Amino acid sequence: MAAFPEEPIYEQLARIGKVLSNPVRLRLLDVLDQQECTVEELAEEAGIALKNTSAQLQQLRAAHLVTSRKEGTKVFYRLADEGVSRFLGEMQAFAHGRLADLREAVAHHLGSPEGVTAAELAARLEDPGTIVVDVRSATAFATAHLPGAVSLPLAELRDRLEELPREAEIVAYCGGPYCVVSPEAVRVLRRNGFRALSLEGGITGWRRSGRSTTPG
C-alpha cells in the first residue's frame, strides 16, 4: 500500500535519479553524448571494463536514456535523443554551482587554462585571426567537428606546430566537459609561444548550446 497517494508518481521519477546515481553510468552517458559507439568502443573510450560497461548500458536503456541500432553483427549505442544531452548539461551546471567539492575536483582534473565559451567562439568563427583546432583523434574529427576546425590530434601536436600561424589565436577543443586533452594542448601551445585558449565544454558543450557541427 502506498504511503501517500502520489507515491507511484514519485517512484517513477526516482527511476531517473537512481540510474544517474552511479558514476560509471554518468561517464558512459558523457562518452555517448560525443559519439555513437559499440559496447567495445564505449568500454575502451570510457576506460571501464567491458563486462561492467555492458551491464550499466542495460540500466541506461531501461530508463530510456540510451538507445541502440544494429548494423550487421554490431550493435551501436547512442543517447536516446537531444533531450538527454540537454538534461545532462543542465544537471552538470546545477551541480557545479552547488557543490564546492565538484568545482575543486574539476579544477584539479583539468588544470586552469583560460577558456572561451561556445557563444564567444561562435562570434569569432569568421575572424581570420582565430584558428579552431580539434585535438581529438582523426576518427572523431571525421565523425563530426566544429565548422572551420582543423584536425590536429594531441599526439601529433608537438611535431606539427609549424602548421599553425604564430600571429593567430588558437582555440583548442576536445570531447566532453571533463576532457583533459584540450587543456593539455593549450599548455603545449603556450609553452611554445602561441596564444591559446580551450573551448569550455568541448564539442559536447558546443552542441548543447544549440550549435551545429560538420558533417554531423
Side-chain angles (χ1 to χ4, degrees):
M1 182 176 179
F4 52 92
E6 299 87 357
E7 185 175 7
I9 296 171
Y10 288 107
E11 283 181 348
Q12 294 305 310
L13 290 172
R15 288 177 61 190
I16 299 297
K18 287 177 182 177
V19 80
L20 294 178
S21 67
N22 183 298
V24 170
R25 293 179 203 139
L26 290 174
R27 171 63 176 152
L28 297 179
L29 288 170
D30 257 352
V31 174
L32 290 173
D33 204 354
Q34 299 169 42
Q35 60 194 35
E36 186 180 61
C37 298
T38 65
V39 64
E40 294 83 5
E41 292 167 342
L42 181 58
E44 181 178 357
E45 181 67 24
I48 297 167
L50 179 61
K51 185 176 181 180
N52 193 16
T53 298
S54 181
Q56 301 306 332
L57 273 175
Q58 301 317 308
Q59 296 293 320
L60 293 169
R61 289 187 68 184
H64 305 288
L65 298 178
V66 166
T67 189
S68 64
R69 67 177 180 87
K70 195 167 184 180
E71 186 176 297
T73 59
K74 292 184 177 182
V75 178
F76 291 86
Y77 295 88
R78 64 183 185 277
L79 295 190
D81 51 50
E82 291 183 3
V84 178
S85 178
R86 290 194 299 271
F87 177 77
L88 290 172
E90 290 166 1
M91 182 191 71
Q92 289 165 355
F94 180 80
H96 193 86
R98 295 280 172 160
L99 302 175
D101 288 348
L102 174 59
R103 294 192 294 273
E104 182 179 342
V106 171
H108 177 76
H109 180 64
L110 297 182
S112 55
E114 186 180 353
V116 60
T117 66
E120 291 167 340
L121 178 58
R124 297 167 56 179
L125 283 182
E126 302 300 322
D127 181 357
T130 299
I131 304 296
V132 181
V133 175
D134 187 320
V135 293
R136 302 173 301 152
S137 69
T139 300
F141 179 85
T143 300
H145 54 269
L146 268 63
V150 296
S151 177
L152 195 54
L154 179 62
E156 304 173 15
L157 182 59
R158 290 177 177 85
D159 296 329
R160 296 175 57 188
L161 290 173
E162 72 280 356
E163 298 177 23
L164 299 172
R166 289 279 173 179
E167 67 278 7
E169 184 166 64
I170 312 299
V171 177
Y173 72 88
C174 52
Y178 309 125
C179 175
V180 299
V181 178
S182 62
E184 176 58 24
V186 167
R187 286 188 280 271
V188 170
L189 289 164
R190 289 181 177 177
R191 284 197 295 268
N192 284 275
F194 289 90
R195 293 181 296 128
L197 302 168
S198 181
L199 174 62
E200 296 176 1
I203 193 170
T204 299
W206 179 266
R207 285 176 173 148
R208 286 175 179 170
S209 71
R211 294 173 171 84
S212 62
T213 57
T214 304

